Structure formats: structure tokens, C-alpha cells
Amino acid sequence: MTEEEEETEREESSESEEPAERETVEERSAQKLTKTASDGAKITVSAPKGALPDGAEVHAVLVND
């Protein structure tokens, strides 16, 4: 196999390595995530369609001064 043939084969194989079911922005749903911190503070994130991947989470950590 020549160097040119090897390069073409590498390019073709790298193209096929991408995930077949790649999530697009249009497929992501709108989300409202809510978390309550240990001191009772309620944190809410309202994300429009496409802003966050499905399954995103919010975490609340109490910070003391």
C-alpha cells in the first residue's frame, strides 16, 4: 500500500468513528432544574430547548464567608 492509499484509508476510518446517534441542539428538550441547599435556599435553572443536554443536573453547595 502506498503512502497516499494509507492516508486515504486513515481519513475514511476516522470519519466513521463519530457516534452514529449524535444529539443535536434541536433534539434537546427544555428543562427546569431545581435544587435546595442545606440552608433552605432554593436554586432553579430554567433552560430553553437546546440549552442543556438531556439528563443535566444542578448541584447546590453552601458557601460560607
Side-chain angles (χ1 to χ4, degrees), residues 39-60:
D39 67 348
K42 187 176 179 181
I43 293 87
T44 302
V45 176
S46 295
K49 182 177 180 179
L52 298 173
D54 288 337
E57 298 178 354
V58 64
H59 299 271

Side-chain angles (χ1 to χ4, degrees), residues 14-34:
S14 67
E15 290 172 5
S16 63
E17 290 174 10
E18 291 188 29
E21 295 183 25
R22 200 167 170 178
E23 184 180 35
T24 64
V25 171
E26 293 78 31
E27 293 172 345
R28 297 178 186 162
S29 57
Q31 296 182 56
K32 183 174 183 179
L33 308 172
T34 303

